[in-house]
Amino acid sequence: MKVATMARHWLITGVSGGLGRALAEEVLGRGDVVVGTLRGEDGLAAFEQLAPGRALALPLDTTDSPEVIADRVAQAVRLAGHIDVLVNNAGYGLLGAVEETGEDELRHQMDTNFFGPLRLIRALLPHLRARGTGHLVNISSIAGVRGQAGLGLYNASKFALEGLSEALMHELKPLGIAVTIVEPGGFRTNWMGKGLRRAEHRLPAYASVDDLAATMRRFDGRQPGDPARGAAAIVAAVEAAEPPLRLPLGADAHQAVRGKLAEVGRELDVWEHVSVSTGFESPVAG
């Protein structure tokens, strides 16, 4: 299938709903081409009806093996002709204290939110390097900036994604490939319904985790973030001559990042005398 050369070609994971779906609809509305992935066969045909010939769908689970993921990426390139932008959006949150989280649960969280995106990036990079251009957009969260009790494994998966992205930015910028980390705050999506899971094991010592879950449920449907506007902000970052490495989305996310930076700054000031005291003493001049 031949498509207009001026259109951007996107590979976006997790387009069944939420920010991934909003982004797909935004760029399709601009005339771009989207290969969208969903975890199963359900919804593939409906996605392609959004823009016949430009909305292309593939089944993909980010916990699939590296071989399956590499095959899906190759299919995406064949379907679209080429890929300009990869958006690692698929993921979920695991709610539970670190001590409550089972081995299978923690591995699934890291496989979905970190190792899956890593495998997609590794599979697509030869294609982007050969073209000498491209953009990786990794959807993180304010949970990738600030840890929170009850979300330790989710935090870990997003912190890992952010560290990977920062290193990739330094590796890939000389090759003409940009990297952007998107850090959404609260957006009015289906994340609470489909994107949040509770660890099965529960300990009385961590009853506050269930209080957090109740608070999050009450907040559901009243989040301040508009997914359509969030999608437009991501497109603006991709289109920028100098794309940002980090893009907080929402006033709450912006405030959270500034708050974290201020906390780190205050602690650095308090402990500076200890931090700088660990070097060898300078030799005394003769």
Side-chain angles (χ1 to χ4, degrees), residues 62-72 115 119-120 122-123:
T62 54
T63 64
D64 286 336
S65 69
E67 294 77 15
V68 170
I69 287 178
D71 179 69
R72 292 291 188 270
F115 286 108
R119 289 165 183 153
L120 279 152
R122 283 166 56 87

Side-chain angles (χ1 to χ4, degrees), residues 50-101:
L50 292 176
R54 289 189 295 109
L56 312 166
L58 283 177
L60 181 140
D61 190 320
T62 54
T63 64
D64 286 336
S65 69
E67 294 77 15
V68 170
I69 287 178
D71 179 69
R72 292 291 188 270
V73 169
Q75 283 184 258
V77 172
R78 287 196 299 271
L79 282 171
H82 70 270
I83 297 296
D84 299 301
V85 186
L86 167 63
V87 182
N88 279 307
N89 168 73
Y92 74 97
L94 180 62
L95 184 64
V98 172
E99 189 181 356
E100 292 178 318
T101 307

Side-chain angles (χ1 to χ4, degrees), residues 155-266:
N155 290 137
S157 69
K158 294 301 187 181
F159 270 66
L161 187 63
E162 296 221 359
L164 172 71
S165 301
E166 189 165 329
L168 281 168
M169 181 272 291
H170 292 294
E171 292 179 358
L172 300 178
K173 187 173 183 180
L175 306 179
I177 302 167
V179 179
T180 295
I181 307 162
V182 178
E183 298 163 338
F187 273 76
R188 208 167 295 179
T189 67
N190 59 353
W191 191 78
M192 280 292 298
K194 294 184 178 180
L196 187 65
R197 305 177 188 178
R198 176 68 167 93
E200 290 185 11
H201 187 50
R202 305 189 185 199
L203 295 171
Y206 302 111
S208 60
V209 174
D210 291 317
D211 294 337
L212 172 62
T215 299
M216 294 173 77
R217 283 193 295 270
R218 287 195 298 272
F219 190 53
D220 191 30
R222 295 186 292 170
Q223 297 95 329
D226 178 346
R229 292 188 173 188
I234 294 171
V235 174
V238 169
E239 291 181 342
E242 292 291 334
L245 172 61
R246 285 184 168 84
L247 179 68
L249 289 186
D252 54 344
H254 191 267
Q255 182 179 358
V257 174
R258 285 202 176 275
K260 173 65 178 284
L261 293 174
E263 290 170 9
V264 171
R266 286 193 295 269

Side-chain angles (χ1 to χ4, degrees), residues 11-17 21 35-48 50 56-62 64 72 90 194:
L11 172 56
I12 306 174
T13 66
V15 297
S16 62
R21 184 59 165 247
V35 181
T37 76
L38 300 94
R39 285 202 305 165
E41 299 289 336
D42 292 345
L44 295 178
F47 179 78
E48 292 185 337
L50 292 176
L56 312 166
L58 283 177
L60 181 140
D61 190 320
T62 54
D64 286 336
R72 292 291 188 270
K194 294 184 178 180

